[in-house]
Amino acid sequence: MAGKLTKRRVDAAKPGETIWDGEIKGLGVRVWASGARSYVLKYRRGGVQRWLTIGVHGDGWTPEKARSEAERLKAKIRDGLDPALEAKADREADSFDLFADRYLKDYAALHKKASTAKEETRALKNHIRPALGKYRVKDIQRGDIARFHQSMKETPYAANRYLALLSHMFNIAEDWGLRPENSNPCRRVKKYKEIARERFLSPDELARLGGALSHAEKFGESPYVTAAIRLLLFTGARLSEILTLRWEFVDLDAGFLRLPDSKTGAKTIALPAPAKEILSTLPRQSDNPHVICGAKRGAALVNLQKPWRRIRTEAGLADVRLHDLRHSFASVAAAGGMSLPLIGSMLGHSQPQTTARYAHFADDPRQAAANSVAASIAASMSGGKARIIPMRKRG
């Protein structure tokens, strides 16, 4: 009977030969024509003989290590498991690409807004899949995520958004049994610091923008383009809310836009007089249900960015984004003394802290008090009668 496998026996084996361990039944070494030596375990399961490769001799595997692994595998066989089938399933485990397909079909399409699912599809296609697509979901580690995040350091806001998407996806992978519980590789990957960009138009800039819009209309710009920009300013609505607005959502008599869905769910937007005038005079197309019509028959305007760049350049506002028009609406409201809850209601904010960014535009009561005290002191010092300046009541 052959003795147990040793390094000397394994090294001495000839190509085409299989040698067996004398102590652990089924453990052997197969020598290939190339000279490579593989540790194998032969066993029967359900009346079928199976061969399972344990590892390659010299590639981190020794006879002692192979023997220990063979004992572990035989214990699983005694428990009714089949290590060969487990190994096959492991080799065929979902790649991130396959998982992403399933995520978009079985989760995003069912549980997320269509616009959000579309954004996630684009992010996966253009950025995440090229970096992680070929990895198996179960094998992705924190270092892989950190390298991907680091590769996008020039666009930190996008990098953080994609990190959040990946974290959510790996939580889903755990729910689906594709990864062990509490194994999310995005944990402790530090996000880039984000500095909120707040750009608001001053009265002078608003006047310049108005002039640029009038100039654009005079020289052939689409009335739907200029109407969209004005509606953004006069209502504080989000860009997507204006571009997807349908006439059935417009209630001119009551003065509201009644949106069945938005970023924060169903939403009602008040229409001030300037906005009502725009909608009252805007041409309607009989075969198009959208308020802001695009060039394609029956379709909405898809991209406002290109005409906006022309108009903002004409106005000398090269750094102003379309979203800044919404900020400008809110800043004018705050400077006019409107309460933050009211502003949040007009904008459709779901969280009070989102509106809090505009608090500094409201008059600070300490400033009014200081003005009153200083005016009294100055009047006394000049020999005049002190005049107390009444403080404005806040709504």
Side-chain angles (χ1 to χ4, degrees):
M1 181 177 178
K4 72 177 184 179
L5 292 176
T6 62
K7 185 176 185 299
R8 178 176 293 180
R9 282 191 65 202
V10 172
D11 289 341
K14 304 289 191 237
E17 186 179 2
T18 299
I19 59 174
W20 300 98
D21 187 80
E23 296 182 356
I24 300 177
K25 185 178 178 180
L27 174 63
V29 173
R30 301 178 77 175
V31 185
W32 305 97
S34 64
R37 291 155 169 79
S38 297
Y39 293 98
V40 296
L41 181 66
K42 184 173 72 171
Y43 64 98
R44 297 189 73 82
R45 186 79 178 90
V48 178
Q49 181 173 283
R50 299 191 186 281
W51 289 74
L52 176 65
T53 299
I54 294 176
V56 177
H57 177 66
D59 187 18
W61 288 93
T62 63
E64 293 75 18
K65 186 176 178 181
R67 186 175 292 105
S68 176
E69 178 65 6
E71 291 283 20
R72 187 186 72 82
L73 293 171
K74 288 175 76 68
K76 296 183 76 170
I77 295 167
R78 288 192 295 271
D79 289 338
L81 302 177
D82 191 334
L85 292 182
E86 289 183 351
K88 182 175 184 293
D90 185 69
R91 290 192 300 272
E92 296 174 354
D94 280 354
S95 68
F96 184 85
D97 266 339
L98 290 175
F99 167 60
D101 289 338
R102 182 181 171 191
Y103 167 82
L104 291 172
K105 178 184 177 183
D106 295 343
Y107 187 89
L110 299 177
H111 302 290
K112 297 201 171 184
K113 294 182 182 297
S115 58
T116 303
K118 184 176 180 181
E119 289 172 5
E120 291 184 348
T121 300
R122 183 166 54 247
L124 285 164
K125 177 183 177 182
N126 294 337
H127 300 281
I128 299 175
R129 289 180 131 169
L132 302 173
K134 302 308 177 186
Y135 288 83
R136 292 188 299 182
V137 174
K138 62 189 289 294
D139 292 339
I140 295 176
Q141 302 296 317
R142 185 181 301 126
D144 302 315
I145 302 298
R147 281 189 293 274
F148 167 69
H149 192 245
Q150 173 72 13
S151 72
M152 297 195 66
K153 63 183 178 181
E154 299 301 324
T155 54
Y157 294 90
N160 289 347
R161 300 294 87 74
Y162 300 157
L163 178 62
L165 171 58
L166 281 167
S167 182
H168 173 65
M169 291 180 69
F170 282 113
N171 286 338
I172 299 297
E174 291 183 20
D175 292 343
W176 289 349
L178 301 177
R179 289 183 64 94
E181 290 288 332
N182 302 313
S183 67
N184 193 323
C186 297
R187 289 178 186 149
R188 295 196 295 277
V189 175
K190 189 174 181 180
K191 291 183 177 181
Y192 293 112
K193 184 177 180 181
E194 295 186 15
I195 301 174
R197 180 188 186 278
E198 295 183 355
R199 177 69 164 89
F200 313 96
L201 297 182
S202 67
D204 175 66
E205 289 175 327
L206 287 169
R208 282 155 44 197
L209 177 56
L213 287 169
S214 298
H215 181 269
E217 289 170 331
K218 182 178 179 181
F219 287 92
E221 187 61 77
S222 165
Y224 301 107
V225 165
T226 54
I229 294 170
R230 287 194 170 99
L231 286 172
L232 290 171
L233 272 170
F234 294 152
T235 66
R238 295 182 177 90
L239 176 61
S240 61
E241 294 166 349
I242 295 300
L243 293 186
T244 60
L245 183 63
R246 299 166 73 97
W247 283 112
E248 63 192 275
F249 306 153
V250 179
D251 187 343
L252 285 176
D253 292 334
F256 288 103
L257 302 179
R258 305 187 190 278
L259 308 182
D261 195 19
S262 71
K263 183 179 180 181
T264 53
K267 177 180 178 181
T268 300
I269 299 176
L271 288 175
K276 290 176 69 175
E277 182 179 356
I278 291 171
L279 292 169
S280 298
T281 58
L282 192 63
R284 297 197 189 195
Q285 296 182 7
S286 60
D287 59 349
N288 195 331
H290 297 95
V291 173
I292 306 300
C293 301
K296 187 177 179 181
R297 184 175 179 179
L301 179 67
V302 175
N303 190 350
L304 192 58
Q305 295 296 338
K306 189 172 182 178
W308 168 245
R309 286 193 288 270
R310 292 194 299 266
I311 291 167
R312 75 180 183 183
T313 299
E314 174 70 22
L317 303 171
D319 66 326
V320 177
R321 305 166 302 172
L322 283 166
H323 192 68
D324 295 329
L325 305 185
R326 177 172 162 88
H327 289 323
S328 298
F329 175 90
S331 66
V332 172
M338 296 180 188
S339 68
L340 293 182
L342 177 57
I343 296 171
S345 176
M346 288 192 295
L347 294 176
H349 287 163
S350 59
Q351 300 295 328
Q353 58 265 33
T354 308
T355 316
R357 74 179 74 176
Y358 305 110
H360 64 284
F361 285 95
D363 292 337
D364 189 331
R366 294 172 299 179
Q367 187 178 54
N371 285 337
S372 177
V373 173
S376 179
I377 294 172
S380 297
M381 291 177 66
S382 64
K385 185 178 180 181
R387 182 173 67 89
I388 304 297
I389 300 175
M391 293 178 63
R392 178 166 66 101
K393 292 183 179 179
R394 300 186 58 79

